[in-house]
Amino acid sequence: MNKINRNILAALLSGSSLAATGGAVADDMMPEEKSLSALEYELLGRDELWTYKALDSYSEPAFMSELVASGALPPVKDRLPAEPLVHLTGAMADGVGEYGGVFRHVIGGRPEGWNWMAGQHQGWGGINMAMQECLVRTGPLWQVKAEDQSGPLPNLAKDWTWNDDRTQLTLNLVEGARWSDGDPFDAADVEFWWNDNVQDENVSAWMSQNGMGEGTSMDVLDDSTVRFNFVDPQGPSRVLSLAYIQGCPGPSHVLKPLHPKYKDGATYDEYRNALPADMVPPVVMGPWVPVDHRPDEIVIMRRNPYYWKVDEAGNQLPYYNEMHFKLTSWSDRTTQAVAGTGDFSNMENPGNYVAALEQAQKPDSPTTIKFGVRVLAWELELNLSETVGVNDEVDAELRGLFRNKDFRVALSHALDRETIGQSVARGPFMYPFPGGFSVGSPYYDRDSTVYYGYNQDKANAMLEALGLVDTDGNGVRNMPQTGADAEIDLVYDTSEPTDKKQVDAVTAMLAEVGIKIISRSVDEIEPVADSGNFNIISRRHHWLIPTRQTCDYVPISVGCPDWHPADDDGNRNLFPWEMEMVEAVDRIQRTWDTAEAAEAARTIQRNWTENVYTIGLVQAPGALLINKRVRNAHPGTPIYMYEWAEDGIVRERLWTAAGDQLTELFEGELPAY
Ligand code: GLA
């Protein structure tokens, strides 16, 4: 049993909550937090993860050498770039691996199609990431020390330079890498991605047209060099936009002839669907290639013979010959990982944590559970718009209250987050969430966080002062203008048991201070959130890295965040402290000084929590479930941080010792083009 699980079990047995321990703290300060992650591991310099260099010799699995000998495949050194990406042994938990075997994923998504350039997804849960390679990479940044946290890690772009005034960014691409069908990867692929997908408004590419900043253009300098030209000076954070899922070129030799600009009579719809999910194998740069897709059953992937990464011993990666993605549900992912029929799960439903932990403690358990830092958080989002989704005078009065800081603070004081947390998962998993960055974020700062903790008397006094008084004696306060009961609709996601339990607890607690919640569950929360047609949304919403999906949190564009939408004319009434958060994001995008970025993040945290931008509920750690057969699964890998764990764990360097390997379904085979 490792140290971390012992801590958790001890807390479970004593019935105490680790989150609630600690000395007295000032009224508006966050209580002491005890992390469930007792992991200690060394952080590395960014250059210690991987490099690009020629090695004396290269090797490959024996079955591939036979194919080379028979003339069916070029020799391994001719399939690799002159200077391949070399994964360094010092960054690996168990070192150089052995070839062979299967790595089994279970996912809840279904592949839409293989044309990721046109915005199709491949089913999530790590299947997109097994196929797509992007110009830069972020997932493994969790292993990099703070002083080396300056933008992303290299990938297809092996390095980059800036001009003096930082208005031009030149990327040097890895030279001589090839697509899985053997076609060269070069600047033409990047040009096609940018010009004919990102910049073509008829294509809904993963990167939006202004995704590299408004007015940014790109030039191809030669086969392996491209340059972005910016309107204003930029900082290293700007390069992060070129990571998964936005900066991942597709095979231009396959897709360009199918694009409406180059194919007479083709429509954009046809282009988007040009690589249907039942057409295998697609052409990829990733370590594995889909070779079989049985709908609602499984996607099977085999190793890419042209993969452009090796280990220090010269072994062409990946180590696993085959990858499975069983197509079931997200909660089945955890069940199967615990049972040992799946190899990997991001455990993100705290209701399952105790049962999963108990199973994993059994001596013959096939699975390791590693709890990381608190990266999952849940919150109430009060619609701050004065117009969008306002259907009558009661809505209008509600929005007036929502926009009053005292009302939001009063609601925060009405919530007993300890009880909310225990209603979801007994034990030490939950800690209060004040909004803003999750505790596990490298940008979280407790001293910049204002916390309005449980204090029913204060909540009642503040609501009273706002003129909210129960005039008709029905137990619900009446609103001062319309006289209507303070009844508020709240929407949450049907499929998330964690959300439902929190909504039930919140409803009971707000009833105690005379606020009535009318909750409604929907199959999909995103369309409701996007429409702005709601008063309160309750959902999982966690922010760790200020430059990742920023528009989901801060009003950097008229379309966001969901809880403060602009009307059809683009108008809305932003608060001065919202503008300060927008400016802080801008500073982070431009600065070259990590201290300045951290200070800007503190500005965001202070403004968010002091003003209760959203009403945070609780936050929990995620846990990574990995089968014990799997080597090089670094215990420090967070389920989510800079990217999801499927990227952070660096799957191309995972392996299993020969005697423990699972039988491959397509043994001896490579994708057939
Ligand atoms: C889904 C899952 C996450 C993660 C991502 C990867 O969103 O819920 O746990 O696997 O896919 O894209």
Side-chain angles (χ1 to χ4, degrees), residues 350-422:
N352 293 343
Y353 285 11
V354 175
L357 259 174
E358 279 168 3
Q359 282 299 319
Q361 296 311 318
K362 297 187 176 151
D364 58 349
S365 161
T367 319
T368 309
I369 296 195
K370 294 277 193 260
F371 274 86
V373 290
R374 292 175 199 279
V375 294
L376 305 172
W378 291 262
E379 66 183 11
L380 302 178
E381 294 161 5
L382 275 57
N383 195 331
L384 300 178
S385 169
E386 291 166 320
T387 50
V388 182
V390 172
N391 302 313
D392 53 32
E393 54 176 8
V394 175
D395 278 343
E397 185 167 16
L398 280 175
R399 298 298 176 84
L401 285 169
F402 292 179
R403 291 179 60 88
N404 188 320
K405 177 180 163 185
D406 284 352
F407 183 77
R408 301 190 302 273
V409 172
L411 258 47
S412 182
H413 279 313
L415 300 176
D416 172 4
R417 290 168 174 83
E418 173 71 22
T419 302
I420 297 175
Q422 294 299 317

Side-chain angles (χ1 to χ4, degrees), residues 107 123-129 244 330 333 344-348 540 639 643-646:
I107 62 174
W124 310 111
I127 186 166
N128 302 15
M129 294 172 195
Y244 178 83
W330 295 114
R333 174 170 71 171
F344 173 100
S345 180
N346 299 326
M347 187 162 71
E348 47 196 11
R540 193 175 95 191
I639 68 156
E643 215 3 287
W644 287 101
E646 291 91 335

Side-chain angles (χ1 to χ4, degrees), residues 177-348:
R178 289 171 187 275
W179 292 92
S180 53
D181 63 352
D183 196 84
F185 163 83
D186 55 28
D189 294 304
V190 182
E191 184 180 37
F192 176 62
W193 159 77
W194 176 261
N195 280 347
D196 297 329
N197 292 277
V198 176
Q199 295 305 316
D200 186 333
E201 56 191 22
N202 302 303
V203 179
S204 46
W206 288 109
M207 177 179 278
S208 65
Q209 234 177 330
N210 291 336
M212 285 298 280
E214 217 169 313
T216 301
S217 63
M218 198 196 86
D219 298 323
V220 170
L221 303 187
D222 61 43
D223 269 1
S224 61
T225 321
V226 298
R227 185 180 64 205
F228 288 99
N229 312 296
F230 303 106
V231 175
D232 301 309
Q234 302 291 316
S237 288
R238 174 51 75 202
V239 196
L240 288 168
S241 310
L242 297 172
Y244 178 83
I245 189 171
Q246 303 190 107
C248 322
S252 63
H253 65 290
V254 175
L255 284 168
K256 202 167 173 176
L258 304 170
H259 190 286
K261 274 197 208 161
Y262 309 97
K263 183 178 177 186
D264 278 350
T267 67
Y268 278 93
D269 216 39
E270 283 162 6
Y271 171 64
R272 183 181 153 89
N273 295 306
L275 306 177
D278 56 4
M279 203 169 90
V280 292
V283 173
V284 308
M285 287 302 284
W288 295 274
V289 189
V291 293
D292 194 12
H293 173 203
R294 302 173 209 158
D296 288 329
E297 212 183 301
I298 197 168
V299 172
I300 300 172
M301 299 175 96
R302 290 289 293 174
R303 60 182 308 122
N304 168 359
Y306 289 90
Y307 197 52
W308 44 285
K309 302 185 183 179
V310 300
D311 65 19
E312 273 189 276
N315 297 306
Q316 185 186 29
L317 296 174
Y319 295 119
Y320 285 117
N321 287 336
E322 201 167 289
M323 267 232 172
H324 293 178
F325 288 85
K326 283 182 216 162
L327 306 175
T328 61
S329 69
W330 295 114
S331 70
D332 190 43
R333 174 170 71 171
T334 294
T335 310
Q336 294 217 32
V338 171
T341 48
D343 292 327
F344 173 100
S345 180
N346 299 326
M347 187 162 71
E348 47 196 11

Side-chain angles (χ1 to χ4, degrees), residues 46 108 121 135 153 173 179 318 381 389 461 473 581 648 661:
R46 55 169 52 231
H121 72 76
L135 292 166
L153 296 161
L173 307 174
W179 292 92
E381 294 161 5
M581 292 198 283
Q661 289 173 1

